Amino acid sequence: MSKKKKFKNNSNHQNKLQKFSKQIIEVLFKNPNKPLNYKQIASALKLENRIDREILIKNLYILAKEKKIVESEKGKYKLNNVERDYVLGTIDITQSGSAYVLVEGSEKDIYVPKGKTKNAMQGDKVRLYLFPPKPHSRREGEVVEIVQRLKTQYTGIYEEHKTGTYGFVAMQGGNSKDFYIPKGKSMNAKNGDKVVVELIDWPENDDSPIGYVREVLGNPKDSNVEMHAILLEYGLPEDFPAEVIAEANNIDTRIDEAEASKRRDMRAVTTFTIDPKDAKDFDDALSIQKLENGNWEIGVHIADVTHYVRPGMLIDQEAYKRATSVYLVDRVVPMLPEILSNVACSLRPNEDKFTFSAVFEMNDQAKVIKSWFGRTVTHSNRRFTYDEAQVIIEGAEGDFKEEILALDRLAKKLRRNRLKEGAINFDKIEVKFDLDENHNPTGVYFKISKDANHLIEEFMLLCNRKVSEFVSLENGKESNKTYIYRIHDDPDSDKLIDLKNLVWQFGYDLELGDRKKTIKSLNKLLADVKGKPEENMVETLAMRSMSKAKYSTDNIGHYGLAFDYYTHFTSPIRRYPDMLAHRLLQDYLDKKSSPAQTIYEDKCLHCSAREKLASEAERESIKFMQVKYMLPFVGETFEGFISGVQEYGIFVELPLTRSEGLIRTRNIEGDYYYFDEKNHALVGRSTGNKLQLGDRVTVRLRSADLLKKQLDFDLLVD
């Protein structure tokens, strides 16, 4: 029997072939400029027996035939075109085990089949070998190297083996392998405890990473335990280091009149804040007064955080590391210590405060006649909640009624003009919870933006836009000064076409053309679905068709807002980019030269990444509370609509709670259903019954799994 036949029939040899294939690529990748012969490769791989070396030679022949490597000299090999076939990116692993890698500098991601992810974990930076492109197919690749772990600490559920000699930590996300915990490394965790596990190693041929338990959190069904676990999972620190707190407590937070004399004094001008009823930090206020010429002077006053927090301070280093405050369902994890966020910098009523302001002279048509930017000292006369301001707008009597109504009239004109210019009218409904003393959900309600919310939003948008224009333009031309922009790229045309095809199934149309035509049609779509069962789904899908907003020093404008220039300036208590925008603006007001763009671009990348983590953590906390709220309703019947369709099942959203659960295909009785991807439907083979995206359905809550943050439904058929 020939050697060739032996290789073909011996599964053990085939496994080694596959293993050596990856290892050969890794060795050659680490030696891009030095061709290696089979002996040098065998030495690097520590292959000593004859059979392994024969397999290696065979594998070199196969790789060369596949053009993954080339024989650059007789008997010596190197990778084929490293620049073209190997890329760096961040991996996003799906529940099925396949993955997508977002390649640096590209909006297109690369699909990685199951089994080709090496030992990558969610969010790791990886090196990817690109398979040759196929016509009409998305690009695929294989992970060949873990370049950098996103993190080494994870949370999961400890499970002790029945022998008591070792254990596992089971991951709940579905996109990570369970950790193997050697004997003596469990910190005496009990079965079912939520724990923090530290990654020690993940050997090449092992199914599971090896770790040790570094902290036992407790019962995973306890809300406090789960919120703490979410913060740890996403690397979001809850407590401030003692030295940071000490530095914050030593800051002189008095309103020094010597400092006040250097600022524009606006304490005599009517000023107030409008915020959510549970807000503790007030980082923006509005002032208003009528000018002698009949115009309005509107001041947008922002907490002057950078007066207290200077570069080089421990507080500044910690704020940069966090980059944002995090808003979980039951708590806020602030970017700044409480003495600053809730006291010194917060624009509390009846207190003088140092502020950084944009002051606009506006006519009755909300046209800005003149702008002024600089540091001020202000005094808030009143703290309004959104509800208090809203009832005044709707006709009730109240403090500063004339001022609020004037601001409301101007804000409505600003909003009308902005939408006319092509801004997208997203008004996403937020899910909120009533909580008891143990942080358990007792009710669900929705935060809906009304006129009072829009009033504040429009003046904050105006401030952010005008500050950005002031820095970026000189006599109508680009100034080329380094600045922090909030950018939003044009949407992907393919995603817009998918959205058009999808909403067509609900009886809606989306006209695609130039920017203004597309936005006009999109706004009409969003208006048409208001109050309909499919409203949340269509809004969500429309938002997913958009690019993600992020921070950058390279200004490309903001597509969603229809602004050529836009920054984040109005929330420095909770966003680090706003602090950067304040510092740069003050430097330019002081006629200082522009700093290097690359330094600030790195800061933008960091802040964008931290913002993404915070958003994901916030969504996780909402999912947990939604499932916990639904626990008592297991077995009960609900009306919902199909919000997603996959081969393995359909997702159903309940309008009363905005909770989403899964009906697994295998649990649908009466027929065998197949996936019709084109029409977003499951179709019964015998009956032809179609379960399509947007369909109204009646379901029974089958289970509510807190550990997986997952609801399962049964479909009820008449």
Side-chain angles (χ1 to χ4, degrees):
M1 185 181 289
S2 70
K3 287 183 181 179
K4 185 174 181 181
K5 187 110 178 203
K6 284 182 182 177
F7 278 123
K8 183 176 180 180
N9 294 331
N10 193 315
S11 61
N12 184 45
H13 283 185
Q14 290 290 353
N15 290 335
K16 287 187 177 184
L17 274 174
Q18 186 179 19
K19 178 183 71 174
F20 290 166
S21 172
K22 295 178 183 178
Q23 292 177 336
I24 289 168
I25 288 173
E26 289 171 28
V27 169
L28 295 179
F29 189 87
K30 292 172 183 176
N31 298 272
N33 301 315
K34 181 184 176 184
L36 302 178
N37 61 33
Y38 90 93
K39 290 183 179 179
Q40 291 169 311
I41 297 171
S43 176
L45 298 179
K46 297 182 172 56
L47 303 181
E48 296 177 354
N49 66 62
R50 179 182 61 79
I51 294 176
D52 280 351
R53 288 189 173 226
E54 286 182 4
I55 294 173
L56 173 66
I57 294 169
K58 177 71 175 178
N59 213 146
L60 287 169
Y61 168 76
I62 293 171
L63 289 172
K65 189 175 180 180
E66 293 176 345
K67 297 184 179 180
K68 291 183 180 179
I69 64 175
V70 293
E71 190 174 6
S72 58
E73 301 174 29
K74 186 169 177 59
K76 291 188 175 183
Y77 299 90
K78 68 176 185 178
L79 290 178
N80 184 15
N81 199 340
V82 172
E83 293 299 319
R84 180 174 63 83
D85 292 339
Y86 290 83
V87 293
L88 289 172
T90 302
I91 195 164
D92 181 11
I93 305 174
T94 71
Q95 290 198 6
S96 67
S98 61
Y100 296 89
V101 172
L102 182 59
V103 176
E104 295 176 2
S106 172
E107 291 293 324
K108 299 284 186 180
D109 50 26
I110 310 297
Y111 176 71
V112 181
K114 185 177 180 179
K116 301 291 185 182
T117 59
K118 201 175 170 66
N119 288 345
M121 300 185 80
Q122 185 70 4
D124 287 349
K125 190 174 184 179
V126 299
R127 197 177 308 279
L128 199 67
Y129 170 75
L130 295 177
F131 298 146
K134 298 176 183 177
H136 313 298
S137 297
R138 73 154 56 229
R139 201 74 192 268
E140 294 188 11
E142 175 181 353
V143 176
V144 296
E145 182 186 4
I146 313 301
V147 177
Q148 185 178 11
R149 294 283 184 195
L150 172 67
K151 57 184 180 178
T152 59
Q153 292 182 24
Y154 300 83
T155 64
I157 305 299
Y158 181 73
E159 298 173 359
E160 185 174 84
H161 190 263
K162 59 185 179 181
T163 62
T165 55
Y166 62 89
F168 286 93
V169 173
M171 302 289 104
Q172 269 71 63
N175 54 20
S176 296
K177 292 281 189 178
D178 295 345
F179 278 76
Y180 170 75
I181 308 297
K183 185 176 181 180
K185 299 292 184 180
S186 69
M187 273 194 73
N188 298 317
K190 300 183 181 65
N191 268 329
D193 276 348
K194 190 93 173 190
V195 300
V196 181
V197 60
E198 179 84 26
L199 174 66
I200 300 173
D201 189 22
W202 194 346
E204 175 73 25
N205 301 312
D206 285 5
D207 288 336
S208 298
I210 302 170
Y212 70 91
V213 176
R214 62 173 297 136
E215 185 179 357
V216 179
L217 300 177
N219 183 349
K221 296 181 180 180
D222 181 280
S223 296
N224 278 314
V225 169
E226 184 56 33
M227 294 303 116
H228 187 42
I230 287 171
L231 291 170
L232 287 167
E233 182 67 29
Y234 286 94
L236 301 167
E238 189 164 10
D239 298 321
F240 288 93
E243 58 271 23
V244 172
I245 296 294
E247 186 181 66
N249 289 334
N250 285 329
I251 292 176
D252 184 358
T253 59
R254 294 173 299 174
I255 300 300
D256 178 52
E257 286 302 322
E259 170 64 26
S261 67
K262 301 174 186 175
R263 297 166 174 255
R264 180 170 172 173
D265 193 335
M266 300 190 69
R267 286 176 283 193
V269 182
T270 298
T271 303
F272 44 77
T273 60
I274 306 177
D275 292 281
K277 63 182 178 181
D278 56 352
K280 294 180 180 177
D281 58 338
F282 316 124
D283 50 8
D284 57 79
L286 293 177
S287 69
I288 179 171
Q289 62 178 337
K290 191 85 167 179
L291 300 176
E292 290 182 3
N293 63 6
N295 289 336
W296 298 96
E297 181 191 85
I298 308 297
V300 182
H301 307 291
I302 310 302
D304 192 358
V305 174
T306 56
H307 171 72
Y308 300 103
V309 182
R310 309 290 175 85
M313 292 175 67
L314 293 175
I315 301 171
D316 187 60
Q317 294 171 30
E318 181 70 16
Y320 175 69
K321 187 171 92 174
R322 295 173 178 237
T324 182
S325 295
V326 184
Y327 296 85
L328 303 187
V329 166
D330 66 342
R331 70 198 65 193
V332 177
V333 181
M335 184 181 76
L336 297 170
E338 187 175 348
I339 187 67
L340 292 172
S341 61
N342 291 2
V343 182
C345 297
S346 185
L347 307 185
R348 304 192 300 184
N350 304 313
E351 294 181 7
D352 291 352
K353 294 291 179 179
F354 289 143
T355 43
F356 211 145
S357 303
V359 182
F360 305 108
E361 181 181 338
M362 305 176 73
N363 63 20
D364 276 328
Q365 299 308 309
K367 181 180 179 181
V368 175
I369 309 300
K370 192 163 46 176
S371 304
W372 178 91
F373 306 98
R375 284 186 145 115
T376 53
V377 56
T378 54
H379 181 98
S380 175
N381 303 104
R382 174 77 148 79
R383 184 229 161 166
F384 288 95
T385 67
Y386 282 124
D387 290 340
E388 290 170 339
Q390 184 64 33
V391 295
I392 292 173
I393 291 171
E394 291 175 358
E397 295 300 318
D399 296 340
F400 305 110
K401 179 174 181 176
E402 283 188 30
E403 289 85 350
I404 287 177
L405 292 179
L407 287 168
D408 179 58
R409 285 195 302 272
L410 293 170
K412 284 184 167 76
K413 288 170 182 173
L414 286 170
R415 185 176 179 83
R416 194 178 306 120
N417 292 337
R418 189 166 58 81
L419 294 175
K420 187 178 178 182
E421 287 299 313
I424 303 173
N425 188 20
F426 279 125
D427 241 349
K428 197 80 173 72
I429 295 175
E430 295 181 45
V431 179
K432 298 289 184 180
F433 298 88
D434 294 314
L435 303 173
D436 65 17
E437 64 277 7
N438 296 317
H439 299 242
N440 294 314
T442 58
V444 181
Y445 63 96
F446 306 120
K447 179 183 171 185
I448 302 172
S449 290
K450 296 183 179 180
D451 289 339
N453 305 79
H454 292 154
L455 186 162
I456 293 298
E457 179 186 25
E458 289 306 322
F459 283 105
M460 296 308 118
L461 290 174
L462 176 68
C463 177
N464 288 330
R465 176 164 61 98
K466 289 298 182 181
V467 165
S468 181
E469 289 176 355
F470 175 75
V471 172
S472 306
L473 298 172
E474 288 181 0
N475 300 319
K477 295 181 179 180
E478 292 280 351
S479 67
N480 294 319
K481 291 176 181 173
T482 295
Y483 205 53
I484 304 297
Y485 298 98
R486 181 70 169 175
I487 63 170
H488 185 219
D489 206 351
D490 293 358
D492 185 290
S493 57
D494 291 340
K495 290 182 178 179
L496 284 177
I497 292 170
D498 289 343
L499 178 63
K500 176 183 173 68
N501 293 336
L502 188 145
V503 300
W504 177 81
Q505 298 178 46
F506 295 94
Y508 302 108
D509 189 26
L510 178 63
E511 291 187 64
L512 302 180
D514 61 25
R515 187 187 179 285
K516 282 202 171 183
K517 182 178 181 180
T518 300
I519 297 299
K520 182 179 179 181
S521 180
L522 183 59
N523 282 337
K524 183 179 185 302
L525 169 66
L526 295 172
D528 289 345
V529 299
K530 282 291 179 191
K532 306 285 180 60
E534 62 268 23
E535 175 187 357
N536 189 52
M537 182 193 64
V538 171
E539 282 196 352
T540 300
L541 293 171
M543 290 181 75
R544 287 176 184 169
S545 73
M546 298 289 112
S547 300
K548 302 297 183 188
K550 60 184 179 181
Y551 299 106
S552 179
T553 57
D554 182 16
N555 181 41
I556 61 169
H558 197 292
Y559 181 88
L561 294 173
F563 291 160
D564 291 329
Y565 302 92
Y566 186 64
T567 189
H568 269 175
F569 187 86
T570 51
S571 295
I573 290 177
R574 64 183 179 91
R575 295 189 304 225
Y576 196 83
D578 301 56
M579 290 174 60
L580 294 173
H582 281 214
R583 286 173 179 156
L584 286 170
L585 174 59
Q586 187 59 56
D587 283 349
Y588 297 139
L589 290 171
D590 293 338
K591 306 299 181 184
K592 292 183 180 178
S593 58
S594 177
Q597 183 176 340
T598 52
I599 296 172
Y600 281 87
E601 184 60 27
D602 288 343
K603 295 178 188 293
C604 286
L605 291 171
H606 167 76
C607 291
S608 294
R610 297 299 293 178
E611 178 185 66
K612 183 173 182 290
L613 286 176
S615 295
E616 289 171 354
E618 289 161 15
R619 283 195 294 271
E620 281 292 295
S621 77
I622 292 171
K623 282 169 60 180
F624 176 82
M625 286 298 182
Q626 284 175 319
V627 174
K628 194 164 195 178
Y629 179 75
M630 294 298 293
L631 270 172
F633 302 105
V634 171
E636 295 197 16
T637 301
F638 300 91
E639 297 298 315
F641 63 89
I642 298 175
S643 56
V645 184
Q646 297 292 335
E647 187 172 4
Y648 53 84
I650 56 176
F651 291 93
V652 174
E653 183 176 299
L654 308 183
L656 289 175
T657 62
R658 301 273 169 156
S659 304
E660 189 176 62
L662 177 66
I663 301 173
R664 299 180 190 278
T665 306
R666 65 173 181 266
N667 292 332
I668 302 175
E669 298 179 354
D671 204 346
Y672 178 80
Y673 284 80
Y674 68 91
F675 180 40
D676 181 354
E677 185 175 6
K678 181 180 178 182
N679 292 304
H680 304 278
L682 290 182
V683 182
R685 288 193 182 278
S686 301
T687 62
N689 185 43
K690 187 178 289 186
L691 299 170
Q692 194 165 26
L693 196 66
D695 284 353
R696 293 173 184 264
V697 290
T698 303
V699 297
R700 180 186 294 116
L701 181 56
R702 182 190 187 100
S703 64
D705 191 328
L706 264 183
L707 300 186
K708 295 180 180 178
K709 303 183 185 71
Q710 181 175 299
L711 300 176
D712 280 308
F713 294 129
D714 286 323
L715 180 67
L716 301 182
V717 182
D718 295 336

